[in-house]
Amino acid sequence: MTEKMWKDELKKYLYLLPVKEEREILSYFDEAFADYRDQGYTDNEIIEEFGDPKEVAKSMVSSYLDDNQAIEEREEREAESGTNFRSKIKRGISNIGKSVSGFCDKISASSRKKRTDLNSEDRDNYEREVEEARKKQERVREEVREEEEELRKLKKEREELAHENERAKEEKMKSGKYVEIEKETKEKKFAEGKPRTYTKAERHSFLTNLIYTILMLAFFALGICLAVGIGESIFRDVIKFANRVANCGAWNGDAIIMIGYYILMISIQLVVMGLGLGIAVGCIKKIYKRFFVKKYVLVKGK
Amino acid sequence: MDAQLKRGLLDVCVLACISNKESYGYKIIHDISPYIEMSEATLYPILRRLVEKGEANSRTVEIDGRLRKYYSITYKGQQHINEFIEQIREFNQAYQYILKSYGG
């Protein structure tokens, strides 16, 4: 068997998947073949390593189907728990998208089913085997999920208990008894290699941080200049407006046009000034977040 | 090995393998296989699942005229490993107890 024969055989059994997924799998094996060959493997050795293409296809198809089902189940569960308006709209949009793409996948799968070289008996057998494999995976997944849920529940209970203890301790700490013990546990936790958090700045080089800060400060200055400049112009317009209203002899059409003009001009300028202030505040917020908000968790020792 | 245990374990092994430096299919298998059984057919679904869950990122790079997909860990993936380590630590206490009681 050559590489091409193995891949053709694999492709024959992938017809149950969407075209995009099939392409991904084939390119994955293209890469794998090339990598193994680079390491000095012959075609026969590689094929022996990869195994029967039908079995490979079966595992690919069944795991894809099971993963998709898992995603659907998870989304359903999330939908049941989340009832706010935004999540409903999000779900509605994603459902429309999904039904369109699902419809296209079905059409393409059925047309490829007809085109595949397998005869109908082989096809039925194969599909039955895939379904069995999928069910097996589903069972395992379900068991894992149940166990995880139980663990989560236990953890929550334990956290609640710890929280209560913490509160009790805090009360005692007020009397000054527990300060030493607190310090000790912190040191112990660090020695055990508890995860610690980093700010974004700590994870980047000095130069990157410097450039980032300079850029942000430049934008901040720009925003402030914009806001101050426009602010001054608004101030002048308001004074002019007041003067003209005071000197206005008769309330005719011209006067109304004049009032309308000034209101329009001042409101446009107010919007631009708001924009400038927004930019300035945004930049300062970004700098603050980068240097002071701890977010990135890394295991100690890395 | 128990199918349940292995499923979670393999995901974390792959995450750990790409946690220090981005890696690709062949290298991941050869880094992991001395410790736990892993084949091309089992790795692909794991990588796809990790990318789908947002625990890993992938990027395609051209090397010697052909394409290679590199995988790297995300913040969410690191959290997954941390949770797993926590669980294993608890598990280890029970294991030590079993060894002590049964072996001693």
Side-chain angles (χ1 to χ4, degrees):
Chain A
M1 202 187 245
T2 62
E3 177 186 339
K4 193 179 176 307
M5 279 155 78
W6 191 89
K7 275 191 212 148
D8 286 344
E9 187 73 9
L10 176 72
K11 196 179 170 187
K12 210 160 79 180
Y13 287 102
L14 290 178
Y15 67 91
L16 288 168
L17 295 176
V19 185
K20 191 175 162 240
E21 184 58 24
E22 182 188 291
R23 220 179 294 142
E24 287 271 331
I25 291 173
L26 290 175
S27 76
Y28 172 80
F29 278 103
D30 280 343
E31 188 192 314
F33 263 102
D35 280 330
Y36 273 82
R37 209 172 287 129
D38 283 353
Q39 298 297 322
Y41 284 78
T42 64
D43 269 17
N44 279 339
E45 282 169 340
I46 299 172
I47 285 163
E48 203 172 303
E49 180 88 26
F50 289 177
D52 182 10
K54 185 183 169 188
E55 289 302 314
V56 173
K58 206 160 74 186
S59 119
M60 296 283 163
V61 174
S62 59
S63 70
Y64 177 85
L65 296 177
D66 185 54
D67 283 351
N68 259 10
Q69 195 177 327
I71 292 172
E72 268 171 34
E73 282 173 15
R74 195 176 58 219
E75 280 175 357
E76 252 170 52
R77 270 199 303 278
E78 276 167 10
E80 275 168 23
S81 58
T83 48
N84 64 10
F85 187 63
R86 202 190 248 182
S87 77
K88 269 185 191 167
I89 291 204
K90 247 189 196 168
R91 207 167 65 235
I93 292 172
S94 90
N95 277 347
I96 294 171
K98 248 188 254 156
S99 48
V100 171
S101 73
F103 182 65
C104 296
D105 285 347
K106 260 185 198 157
I107 290 178
S108 108
S110 72
S111 78
R112 279 189 298 148
K113 201 171 170 176
K114 280 174 203 148
R115 267 190 282 124
T116 181
D117 300 333
L118 301 169
N119 62 41
S120 69
E121 198 186 326
D122 282 350
R123 218 160 54 198
D124 288 347
N125 278 340
Y126 172 65
E127 281 176 22
R128 206 172 308 123
E129 282 171 31
V130 166
E131 183 57 21
E132 268 168 30
R134 189 193 67 74
K135 274 193 183 142
K136 202 172 146 196
Q137 289 189 12
E138 187 184 350
R139 269 199 305 276
V140 173
R141 179 166 54 79
E142 199 54 33
E143 280 167 23
V144 171
R145 199 182 68 78
E146 275 167 19
E147 235 166 63
E148 276 177 356
E149 207 137 278
E150 210 149 288
L151 267 177
R152 212 168 294 137
K153 228 187 270 169
L154 266 176
K155 208 174 165 189
K156 208 177 159 195
E157 275 171 24
R158 216 180 303 158
E159 268 170 14
E160 270 167 21
L161 203 74
H163 192 67
E164 241 166 64
N165 283 345
E166 194 81 5
R167 250 199 322 235
K169 210 162 85 181
E170 259 171 32
E171 272 172 27
K172 283 188 183 170
M173 259 177 82
K174 276 178 196 160
S175 58
K177 275 181 195 165
Y178 274 75
V179 180
E180 273 308 300
I181 297 170
E182 181 74 358
K183 202 182 151 201
E184 244 173 55
T185 32
K186 260 188 190 163
E187 274 167 9
K188 208 173 138 202
K189 265 187 189 170
F190 186 70
E192 277 172 1
K194 287 272 168 189
R196 65 166 281 211
T197 49
Y198 289 85
T199 61
K200 205 170 179 183
E202 278 173 301
R203 301 197 66 218
H204 287 88
S205 68
F206 175 74
L207 192 67
T208 329
N209 285 331
L210 188 70
I211 292 171
Y212 185 84
T213 313
I214 290 173
L215 258 175
M216 282 299 137
L217 285 178
F219 273 116
F220 170 75
L222 204 74
I224 289 290
C225 286
L226 193 67
V228 171
I230 298 283
E232 194 212 349
S233 148
I234 290 175
F235 181 67
R236 251 187 274 153
D237 272 1
V238 169
I239 288 178
K240 240 194 257 172
F241 180 45
N243 270 337
R244 299 216 28 196
V245 168
N247 296 333
C248 184
W251 291 100
N252 53 14
D254 281 351
I256 289 167
I257 288 173
M258 184 269 290
I259 290 172
Y261 168 77
Y262 272 107
I263 288 177
L264 185 71
M265 285 312 288
I266 289 171
S267 41
I268 289 173
Q269 291 183 72
L270 272 174
V271 170
V272 178
M273 189 171 97
L275 199 74
L277 278 177
I279 292 173
V281 173
C283 291
I284 287 299
K285 240 175 151 179
K286 283 220 155 202
I287 292 179
Y288 170 75
K289 263 193 187 166
R290 191 180 182 89
F291 287 94
F292 299 105
V293 178
K294 292 192 166 184
K295 193 168 145 199
Y296 292 86
V297 176
L298 289 179
V299 180
K300 186 200 148 206
K302 271 184 195 161
Chain B
M1 198 189 281
D2 179 33
Q4 249 189 70
L5 196 63
K6 197 171 174 185
R7 187 183 158 112
L9 202 57
L10 281 176
D11 282 17
V12 179
C13 280
V14 173
L15 280 175
C17 184
I18 58 173
S19 64
N20 276 329
K21 201 169 167 248
E22 58 175 10
S23 189
Y24 55 95
Y26 177 84
K27 194 166 181 304
I28 295 174
I29 289 179
H30 280 256
D31 286 348
I32 292 178
S33 54
Y35 304 99
I36 190 167
E37 196 191 322
M38 169 79 83
S39 69
E40 294 286 341
T42 40
L43 178 65
Y44 177 81
I46 293 172
L47 288 174
R48 199 203 39 232
R49 197 160 54 226
L50 292 178
V51 171
E52 216 156 63
K53 281 200 280 185
E55 293 178 355
N57 278 331
S58 70
R59 70 187 184 106
T60 309
V61 180
E62 201 190 314
I63 287 174
D64 300 334
R66 62 185 179 86
L67 297 177
R68 183 182 275 164
K69 218 168 183 180
Y70 277 92
Y71 295 86
S72 57
I73 199 166
T74 64
Y75 172 63
K76 213 173 158 191
Q78 288 176 341
Q79 270 181 326
H80 187 163
I81 298 185
N82 287 337
E83 275 168 25
F84 188 80
I85 290 174
E86 192 107 333
Q87 278 178 20
I88 286 291
R89 197 170 283 140
E90 285 169 24
F91 189 78
N92 189 36
Q93 286 172 359
Y95 173 70
Q96 294 299 338
Y97 169 74
I98 294 169
L99 271 192
K100 205 173 80 184
S101 311
Y102 186 72

